Amino acid sequence: MPWPRLPGDSAVADMHEENKAAANGYGKIRSGAQNGAALLALMEKTGYSMVQQNGQRKFGGPPPGWEGPPPPRGCEVFVGKIPRDMYEDELVPVFERAGKIYELRLMMEFSGENRGYAFVMYTTKEEAQLAIKILNNYEIRPGKFIGVCVSLDNCRLFIGAIPKDKKKEEILNEMKKVTEGVVDVIVYPNATDKTKNRGFAFVEYESHRAAAMARRRLIPGTFQPWGHTIQVDWADPEKVVDEETMQRVKVLYVRNLMISTTEDKIKAEFNKFKPGVVERVKKLRDYAFVHFFHREDAVAAMSIMNGKCIDGASIEVTLAKPVNKESSWKQHFNGQISPSSENLLGFPNKEDGAQKSLGKPASLSVRLNGQHSPGPPEVERSTYPIFPGIKLTPISMYSLKLSHFTSAVMHLDYFCHKNSWAPPEYCLYSTTSQDGKILLVYKVLISSIADDSQSYFMPEKLCTTVEDAKELAAQFTLLHLAPEQAYITLLSLNTAWWDSKGKLVKDAKGYLGSMSYLSL
């Protein structure tokens, strides 16, 4: 029996059938003349203009008869996984179903094919949200599914390798000396010494263009503030969560805690204004998640506790943001949300560990109504032949992306490099079990963070092979240094892991389910 059609399904179903039918005419590559004729017909029908420059083709912006300024932020969506031979004459009718298009920008190759993604700006935020709702994972051609999520211009840069004794005012003045449009500098205190910064800062600019120009100006080697070579990259934009989801959140994110502050102390402090409202607390290094039984108590506690001192540290308190799968794709193309090669991942990809992300570690899955956010697809692991005459170029492994690494050992090495720490040192220890087996464990030493409260890490589990012992030690270290990075690592690796009771788990998701701090 066919499923009943729900209200609103009719337009989507009709659109689906129309595009399937239209796709049948595109079994062959269209000629340049055919493309030109199709685009000309589209412009005549809609009255929109079309211009191509700087690797993109812009349809509209503004549309015919538009008066006033462009739509505000939040009206633009990113579209990924577009078939390379699909153009505006097919795309515009699809996206017009969600509302009036202000502008569509299709990224183009020199060959004339599109680059697989586009940006569509609507006239209102509501239209953009509707486009995400009805067109994300939409089958635009048989077997071809597009991805749609919100697109936000990034106005924030990550600046690393800053001397730890520099104050916010000093960093702000230095950035204003050499770049234009600086709005603010965000600096976080060191986890163990609140008089020092963490060696990095976030610089906020008045526009994406100003941030892009500053990034170019601050390229390492061209500018050395305080005699230091700094690291410059786009900061990961804050994750966008729809208002309806946020209205259900009853978990607070608390940052800037002292390392020595205990979960019991945090629970007691948050229970002071109204005893018994806190369900549980999970602390991770210098931040924590405080779970409440009721949302209204969480909101009240946030207002009361933000800026309060616990054990001498002034804390910051906000609502925890659940992972929003529609808006958590990789966000690194010119500081905007963009495709990750040809695959759009359903989880945040923290390529540079915890430091490039401002505020809460959003890649930790917050449980809402008993449900976790879905995990990513398995990493592709394939081999390809080397043909005679193929050109091979020497590269550093640190120039690769985390998706190229398939072990926690490599992820930890990459993470240490990105933080300008020394490579991890592995010290092997052994013991003998009751039945005579040799059992092994590695201790991991990272000398560059010796000023922290802990510079060595050793799991509480023994292994029977050297390989497993080293992998477990790297995993354990990541869980302490960068729990959000460890989360990505575990979900992305198709390998075996140990649960909290020492049981071998073949499924990474099963492992995550056994870890108490991830079952928030």
Side-chain angles (χ1 to χ4, degrees):
M1 183 179 72
W3 289 99
R5 182 172 286 188
L6 300 175
D9 283 353
S10 177
V12 177
D14 292 343
M15 177 172 55
H16 185 75
E17 294 303 320
E18 287 176 16
N19 282 282
K20 272 195 170 185
N24 291 333
Y26 288 87
K28 299 178 180 179
I29 299 177
R30 294 191 298 181
S31 67
Q34 289 173 319
N35 277 336
L39 297 178
L40 182 61
L42 175 66
M43 289 188 288
E44 291 177 349
K45 178 182 176 180
T46 61
Y48 280 64
S49 62
M50 190 179 297
V51 60
Q52 182 166 336
Q53 60 183 5
N54 299 327
Q56 64 179 353
R57 193 157 60 203
K58 186 170 72 171
F59 172 82
W66 180 269
E67 295 181 0
R73 294 185 76 196
C75 294
E76 187 175 71
V77 299
F78 167 79
V79 186
K81 302 186 77 173
I82 300 172
R84 296 301 183 101
D85 59 345
M86 180 174 281
Y87 303 100
E88 291 86 349
D89 57 301
E90 284 188 85
L91 294 171
V92 168
V94 171
F95 285 93
E96 279 183 334
R97 300 299 181 99
K100 183 176 178 63
I101 295 175
Y102 176 85
E103 175 184 271
L104 185 152
R105 294 182 292 123
L106 182 62
M107 303 300 119
M108 301 297 295
E109 298 279 13
F110 183 76
S111 63
E113 288 187 327
N114 76 64
R115 297 175 63 184
Y117 63 98
F119 296 89
V120 182
M121 181 180 290
Y122 288 93
T123 58
T124 68
K125 294 180 180 179
E126 291 74 20
E127 292 170 332
Q129 289 298 320
L130 179 60
I132 294 170
K133 184 176 181 180
I134 68 174
L135 295 175
N136 186 37
N137 293 322
Y138 171 70
E139 189 176 10
I140 200 161
R141 284 188 185 167
K144 302 293 183 181
F145 298 85
I146 58 172
V148 182
C149 69
V150 69
S151 168
L152 294 176
D153 286 346
N154 198 347
C155 301
R156 184 176 292 147
L157 293 181
F158 165 83
I159 311 294
I162 292 175
K164 292 186 177 182
D165 61 343
K166 298 302 175 184
K167 306 298 183 184
K168 174 177 177 175
E169 293 73 20
E170 295 177 89
I171 300 171
L172 178 62
N173 291 334
E174 195 70 22
M175 291 300 107
K176 284 185 174 180
K177 284 181 184 177
V178 294
T179 62
E180 297 180 357
V182 177
V183 175
D184 192 19
V185 169
I186 301 161
V187 183
Y188 292 130
N190 187 279
T192 56
D193 184 353
K194 300 301 182 183
T195 65
K196 297 181 179 180
N197 69 64
R198 296 194 178 187
F200 64 91
F202 298 93
V203 184
E204 185 81 23
Y205 289 86
E206 62 186 13
S207 67
H208 174 71
R209 176 176 174 77
M213 296 299 291
R215 180 171 178 262
R216 184 178 302 176
R217 174 72 177 84
L218 297 172
I219 292 174
T222 61
F223 172 61
Q224 292 186 321
W226 312 290
H228 287 255
T229 299
I230 59 173
Q231 300 170 356
V232 182
D233 204 347
W234 290 105
D236 290 344
E238 289 192 79
K239 303 299 178 289
V240 178
V241 182
D242 65 271
E243 189 63 29
E244 182 181 353
T245 299
M246 289 303 297
Q247 288 297 326
R248 301 197 301 270
V249 174
K250 51 185 180 180
V251 181
L252 295 183
Y253 169 71
V254 184
R255 63 163 295 113
N256 199 33
L257 291 162
M258 297 295 291
I259 293 291
S260 58
T261 300
T262 65
E263 292 177 353
D264 289 340
K265 179 65 178 289
I266 297 168
K267 186 173 183 179
E269 291 290 331
F270 276 81
N271 266 329
K272 279 184 178 179
F273 85 99
K274 187 177 179 182
V277 295
V278 178
E279 179 185 5
R280 68 186 184 278
V281 174
K282 193 60 194 180
K283 182 172 182 279
L284 301 165
R285 198 164 169 77
D286 63 337
Y287 61 91
F289 293 94
V290 182
H291 297 248
F292 289 77
F293 289 104
H294 304 290
R295 174 180 165 78
E296 56 269 24
D297 293 328
V299 174
M302 176 176 63
S303 176
I304 294 171
M305 295 299 294
N306 187 40
K308 295 287 186 180
C309 282
I310 298 181
D311 291 340
S314 179
I315 62 172
E316 298 175 20
V317 185
T318 59
L319 284 172
K321 284 188 179 181
V323 173
N324 184 344
K325 66 180 181 179
E326 277 90 8
S327 60
S328 57
W329 296 343
K330 186 180 171 190
Q331 306 181 32
H332 272 291
F333 180 81
N334 274 346
Q336 296 180 335
I337 294 175
S338 70
S340 173
S341 300
E342 291 298 310
N343 300 313
L344 296 175
L345 305 182
F347 70 106
N349 190 339
K350 298 287 184 189
E351 290 194 348
D352 295 325
Q355 292 191 347
K356 281 180 59 183
S357 174
L358 174 64
K360 63 189 73 46
S363 53
L364 282 174
S365 172
V366 177
R367 177 173 287 188
L368 282 178
N369 297 332
Q371 298 296 322
H372 281 295
S373 299
E378 291 182 357
V379 175
E380 178 188 356
R381 301 179 69 177
S382 306
T383 58
Y384 296 87
I386 297 180
F387 295 106
I390 193 170
K391 183 179 179 182
L392 298 176
T393 305
I395 64 169
S396 166
M397 74 172 224
Y398 300 116
S399 66
L400 299 173
K401 299 174 182 177
L402 282 179
S403 57
H404 292 97
F405 302 143
T406 57
S407 73
V409 172
M410 296 302 294
H411 278 237
L412 177 59
D413 191 78
Y414 185 97
F415 181 72
C416 290
H417 174 78
K418 284 294 183 180
N419 284 281
S420 300
W421 296 341
E425 299 177 36
Y426 293 85
C427 304
L428 185 62
Y429 297 87
S430 71
T431 187
T432 305
S433 67
Q434 293 181 349
D435 57 0
K437 288 183 180 178
I438 294 179
L439 302 179
L440 306 168
V441 64
Y442 269 104
K443 179 169 74 174
V444 181
L445 174 66
I446 304 177
S447 57
S448 304
I449 56 172
D451 60 325
D452 252 340
S453 60
Q454 185 176 1
S455 59
Y456 69 87
F457 308 87
M458 188 167 72
E460 298 176 352
K461 300 290 185 293
L462 295 156
C463 300
T464 56
T465 69
V466 173
E467 292 84 357
D468 286 346
K470 191 170 186 178
E471 188 71 2
L472 180 60
Q475 169 204 351
F476 180 83
T477 306
L478 276 173
L479 285 170
H480 282 74
L481 291 178
E484 60 271 36
Q485 186 60 59
Y487 172 70
I488 295 171
T489 303
L490 298 179
L491 278 181
S492 64
L493 302 183
N494 183 22
T495 185
W497 301 92
W498 287 262
D499 65 14
S500 57
K501 297 180 180 179
K503 180 182 178 183
L504 195 64
V505 180
K506 291 293 185 182
D507 178 17
K509 293 180 183 177
Y511 173 83
L512 289 174
S514 73
M515 298 299 293
S516 59
Y517 81 86
L518 286 173
S519 300
L520 299 173

